């Protein structure tokens, strides 16, 4: 890129490029001492609080809520018992027709109501399945092993859900307990919502919204979706993305039918028709488009990095010219700037010598904000039109959803993600909004008008991030300590009433 950068800088030299730099998200310098959290959290004994959170997280990881089958009532009762220690009542709300599955809702009411809606601290209790035999011996998905990292000397707790997402669910529970213990004056309600079944069918969130919405009243939510990754975009720099948007989905079955027959004589039947349709789908051009959150994150990364890289990343026009090829070359980055089309499986084959009368393929399309599922579906149907016997059935569709990042909750999360990292000796960090390529329960909350932010307050390496849904998932005590500080401070800054306690 450097040669191209130099050539281009010569071309655009001067004011025109400088004028199109992305504006900063929030003030670059914040008077830390003036924040409500600085004053109200002064009595916190952070190391003791971190010890307690780490022990509680270990118990939560040992509570088997692997989904399927889920058994989330177990996890909900564990969180309810932690809240009860500080006198906070929680409702464990069973899902319809299944006493083993439940959501949890607990509320700290505003002491000096300002009329703002509740801040909801959201998590899912269930975790994905794990292949225990692939995990290190003695450090299985439900064993709650605690080890010491050889390199850093830091303690690690192992278990399915350590990152996705029992760590945030537990930290949110601790935040509620600390708000109660410190008897902080609240200007808005704070609600803890821990739901079942996010990893399979979102039955928990669907039920919470359908039957218990009146108990929630959220206008803002903090949920999973973003985290800090060391060296994600620039070597030696942590880039911390707070998820403000999630791509939509269009899931379809492409079906081909024809006369069944003998495999010995190749004549065009259902399988050949399906292949022709899939050839067209594979060659279907999907132009790139950069969501504003990505420009903003790149600008923050560039500002921190400085130099030529910084100059380019802070300017959307130069990103389009110089950095987009790199994005498109890398699958994870490419998914952030295109409507993706992924053929994910097949059905219908019988025996090698039997041509079936029907075969089909599943196609998973993920759509950027601004791309309507109906428009893509119409385009897809037109693409395969004219191939005899081929049809497209919709399995599910949902448009992308986004929340604005010019918002006090976003700013508080961004500030404390950065401040807590710097206080912990992590000098190089850039924080910005990000679009998530997959979706979480936040997509359902955003449909109800809630501003949702994906913020798991941990900083991990790429390898550690890959343990989510993979093998050997773990989280360090340092992350738990820093995460508690970041989350509690951010929550206090957005919910504390103006008067101080005495
Ligand atoms: Zn998750």
């Amino acid at each position: 890129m450097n040669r191209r950068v130099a050539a281009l800088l010569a071309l655009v030299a001067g004011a025109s490029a400088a004028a199109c730099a992305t504006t900063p998200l929030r003030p670059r310098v914040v008077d830390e001492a003036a924040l409500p959290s600085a004053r109200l959290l002064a009595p916190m004994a952070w190391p003791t609080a971190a010890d307690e959170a780490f022990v509680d997280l270990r118990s939560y990881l040992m509570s088997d809520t692997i989904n399927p089958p889920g058994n989330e009532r177990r996890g909900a009762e564990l969180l309810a018992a932690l809240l009860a220690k500080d006198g906070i009542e929680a409702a464990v709300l069973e899902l319809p027709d299944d006493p083993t599955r439940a959501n949890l809702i607990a509320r700290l009411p505003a002491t000096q109501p300002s009329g703002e809606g509740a801040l909801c601290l959201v998590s899912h209790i269930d975790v994905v399945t794990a292949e225990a035999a692939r995990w290190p011996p003695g450090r299985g998905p439900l064993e709650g092993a605690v080890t010491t990292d050889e390199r850093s000397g830091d303690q690690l707790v192992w278990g399915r859900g350590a990152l996705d997402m029992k760590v945030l669910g537990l930290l949110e529970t601790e935040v509620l307990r600390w708000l109660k213990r410190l008897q902080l004056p609240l200007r808005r309600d704070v609600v803890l919502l821990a739901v079942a079944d996010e990893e399979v069918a979102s039955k928990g969130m669907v039920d919470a919204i359908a039957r218990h919405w009146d108990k929630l009243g959220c206008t803002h939510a903090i949920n999973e979706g973003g985290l800090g990754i060391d060296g994600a975009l620039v070597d030696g720099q942590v880039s911390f993305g707070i998820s403000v948007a999630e791509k939509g989905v269009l899931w379809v079955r492409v079906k081909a039918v024809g006369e069944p027959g003998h495999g010995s004589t190749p004549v065009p039947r259902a399988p050949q028709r399906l292949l022709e349709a899939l050839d067209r789908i594979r060659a279907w051009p999907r132009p790139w488009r950069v969501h504003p959150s990505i420009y903003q994150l790149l600008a923050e990364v560039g500002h921190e990095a400085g130099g030529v890289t910084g100059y380019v990343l802070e300017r959307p026009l130069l990103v389009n010219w110089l950095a987009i090829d790199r994005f498109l070359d890398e699958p994870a980055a490419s998914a952030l700037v295109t409507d993706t089309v992924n053929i994910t499986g097949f059905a219908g084959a019988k025996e090698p010598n039997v041509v079936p009368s029907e075969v089909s393929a599943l196609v998973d399309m993920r759509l950027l904000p601004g791309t309507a599922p109906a428009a893509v579906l119409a385009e897809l149907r037109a693409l395969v039109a004219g191939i005899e016997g081929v049809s497209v059935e919709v399995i599910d569709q949902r448009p992308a959803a986004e929340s604005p990042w010019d918002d006090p909750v976003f700013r508080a999360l961004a500030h404390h993600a950065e401040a807590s990292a710097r206080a912990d000796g992590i000098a190089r960090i850039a924080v910005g909004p990000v679009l998530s390529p997959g979706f979480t329960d936040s997509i359902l909350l955003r449909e109800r008008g809630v501003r949702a932010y994906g913020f798991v307050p941990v900083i991990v390496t790429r390898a550690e991030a890959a343990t989510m849904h993979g093998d050997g998932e773990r989280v360090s005590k340092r992350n738990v300590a820093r995460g508690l500080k970041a989350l509690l401070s951010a929550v206090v800054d957005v919910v504390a009433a103006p008067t101080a306690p005495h």
Side-chain angles (χ1 to χ4, degrees):
M1 184 168 90
N2 282 350
R3 239 182 316 119
R4 289 178 70 190
V5 170
L8 239 132
L9 286 184
L11 276 176
V12 299
S16 63
C20 64
T22 301
T23 40
L25 272 183
R26 54 200 161 88
R28 298 282 184 202
V29 180
V30 171
D31 180 3
E32 195 73 36
L35 295 175
S37 55
R39 181 168 43 91
L40 297 170
L41 296 178
M44 282 295 292
W46 292 107
T48 317
D51 285 345
E52 183 185 34
F54 195 66
V55 168
D56 291 342
L57 175 59
R58 177 172 181 261
S59 310
Y60 194 26
L61 292 175
M62 292 171 78
S63 160
D64 180 356
T65 57
I66 290 174
N67 185 15
N71 285 310
E72 293 92 342
R73 170 181 284 277
R74 231 176 244 162
E77 281 172 356
L78 184 145
L79 296 179
L82 293 175
L83 294 166
K85 287 186 183 180
D86 289 286
I88 301 170
E89 259 183 62
V92 174
L93 301 159
E94 224 168 75
L95 299 200
D97 307 323
D98 192 346
T100 69
R101 312 198 72 177
N103 293 335
L104 171 134
I105 298 177
R107 165 176 239 100
L108 282 188
T111 51
Q112 298 170 37
S114 63
E116 294 165 279
L119 172 66
C120 285
L121 307 177
V122 179
S123 68
H124 60 81
I125 302 168
D126 62 318
V127 296
V128 293
T129 55
E131 291 182 61
R134 294 173 51 94
W135 289 48
R139 303 173 187 181
L142 294 167
E143 286 176 88
V146 174
T147 62
T148 304
D149 184 63
E150 284 171 14
R151 251 176 340 108
S152 62
D154 197 9
Q155 280 196 302
L156 303 169
V157 63
W158 297 69
R160 177 54 88 220
L163 295 170
D164 182 10
M165 65 167 293
K166 282 181 167 171
V167 65
L168 180 60
L170 189 279
L171 290 175
E172 290 174 341
T173 306
E174 302 291 312
V175 164
L176 225 65
R177 296 173 71 190
W178 279 109
L179 293 177
K180 179 82 191 292
R181 277 184 205 175
L182 297 168
Q183 299 193 305
L184 297 188
L186 305 178
R187 65 169 201 268
R188 59 199 289 188
D189 292 8
V190 183
V191 173
L192 184 70
L193 169 64
V195 299
D197 199 44
E198 191 275 343
E199 295 287 5
V200 175
S202 291
K203 283 184 194 160
M205 186 59 85
V206 167
D207 190 51
I209 290 173
R211 296 198 302 147
H212 306 291
W213 188 247
D214 57 322
K215 299 185 188 66
L216 297 170
C218 345
T219 56
H220 286 85
I222 298 171
N223 190 12
E224 64 179 334
L227 78 175
I229 299 186
D230 196 357
L233 293 165
V234 170
D235 285 341
Q237 183 205 66
V238 171
S239 60
F240 199 115
I242 298 174
S243 176
V244 295
E246 294 175 348
K247 288 175 85 177
V249 293
L250 175 59
W251 290 337
V252 300
R253 180 177 290 108
V254 180
K255 202 168 82 177
V257 296
E259 281 293 302
H262 202 285
S264 61
T265 313
V267 290
R269 297 181 198 269
Q272 287 76 17
R273 291 167 179 171
L274 180 63
L275 281 172
E276 192 185 336
L278 296 179
D279 279 346
R280 293 187 192 180
I281 290 170
R282 272 152 49 93
W284 188 11
R286 307 303 310 162
W288 60 267
R289 189 169 82 243
V290 183
H291 188 255
S293 67
I294 304 292
Y295 283 133
Q296 190 70 57
L297 178 66
L298 291 176
E300 297 295 324
V301 165
H303 179 79
E304 197 285 331
V308 172
T309 305
Y311 190 90
V312 171
L313 294 182
E314 285 192 85
R315 289 164 177 79
L317 199 60
L318 296 187
V319 168
N320 292 356
W321 285 346
L322 301 168
I324 202 70
D325 288 348
R326 282 192 170 191
F327 257 73
L328 297 171
D329 281 349
E330 210 273 300
S334 175
L336 294 177
V337 296
T338 47
D339 295 317
T340 53
V341 180
N342 197 7
I343 298 164
T344 49
F346 304 93
K350 290 182 166 55
E351 301 296 329
N353 61 347
V354 177
V355 181
S357 63
E358 181 182 317
V359 288
S360 62
L362 297 175
V363 184
D364 180 352
M365 287 168 276
R366 302 296 176 120
L367 311 177
L368 293 165
T371 303
V376 177
L377 182 63
E379 231 183 285
L380 174 60
R381 286 195 163 128
L383 191 70
V384 300
I387 308 173
E388 198 188 331
V390 168
S391 59
V392 177
E393 282 171 15
V394 175
I395 298 168
D396 203 356
Q397 58 178 318
R398 196 178 285 283
E402 52 191 325
S403 302
W405 51 94
D406 180 13
D407 179 279
V409 173
F410 178 90
R411 281 193 290 273
L413 293 171
H415 172 75
H416 287 290
E418 186 174 326
S420 63
R422 292 200 199 283
D424 193 25
I426 298 167
R428 297 199 56 201
I429 177 167
V431 185
V434 73
L435 163 75
S436 298
F439 66 89
T440 68
D441 279 344
S442 289
I443 206 165
L444 299 168
L445 291 169
R446 289 193 181 109
E447 281 175 5
R448 298 296 298 240
V450 176
R451 293 183 173 196
Y453 300 103
F455 179 79
V456 177
V458 299
I459 294 171
V460 294
T461 61
R462 280 169 188 274
E464 286 164 340
T467 66
M468 289 188 267
H469 294 219
D471 309 325
E473 193 175 349
R474 59 199 180 270
V475 68
S476 69
K477 189 168 180 179
R478 188 176 168 198
N479 263 316
V480 169
R482 193 191 322 106
L484 178 63
K485 195 172 181 186
L487 187 66
L488 180 55
S489 304
V491 169
V492 165
D493 282 344
V494 292
V495 304
T499 47
H502 294 288

